[in-house]
Amino acid sequence: LSRCANPFADPDIYFMTFGTLEAVAWLLLYFSIAQDMRSFAVRALSRVMGLGMVALIVVPLVWTQVHRMTWPLRIHALVIAPATLVLTAAGPARVAEVPWVG
């Protein structure tokens, strides 16, 4: 008899779960901030996540196959998504004070 492998034995399931929680956290943050700051939140999301998606997912797809793309997804879940949350939570005034970012 053949048995299915334990899905929790794969460490990437935890990265995917963490990324999903970050997406939910961003949505909660979006709906909790003032309406005049929501456009900044959307721009931060589109710029940071968009550039991250291009650099970490689209470009490697040219050279590799989808089932080998574990490191770009891990970097996305551990670096890019948290950076988006921090920028969104900081707001435009605080981000403008950061060199190279604002």
Side-chain angles (χ1 to χ4, degrees):
L1 293 171
S2 172
R3 294 175 54 177
C4 294
N6 183 3
F8 298 109
D10 184 18
D12 288 329
I13 193 75
Y14 298 107
F15 290 107
M16 290 180 220
T17 304
F18 187 61
T20 303
L21 291 174
E22 289 169 335
V24 170
W26 188 88
L27 282 172
L28 292 173
L29 181 64
Y30 175 79
F31 287 114
S32 68
I33 60 177
Q35 285 191 351
D36 60 337
M37 292 177 47
R38 287 185 181 178
S39 66
F40 172 78
V42 171
R43 283 185 284 138
L45 176 74
S46 64
R47 288 183 182 161
V48 175
M49 297 289 262
L51 290 174
M53 293 291 240
V54 169
L56 294 175
I57 295 176
V58 175
V59 173
L61 275 176
V62 175
W63 291 287
T64 62
Q65 296 173 353
V66 175
H67 67 278
R68 295 184 185 176
M69 293 196 47
T70 56
W71 284 106
L73 296 177
R74 290 176 183 177
I75 292 170
H76 191 268
L78 295 176
V79 177
I80 296 173
T84 304
L85 282 171
V86 168
L87 288 174
T88 302
R94 289 191 186 110
V95 172
E97 296 174 0
V98 179
W100 297 89
V101 177

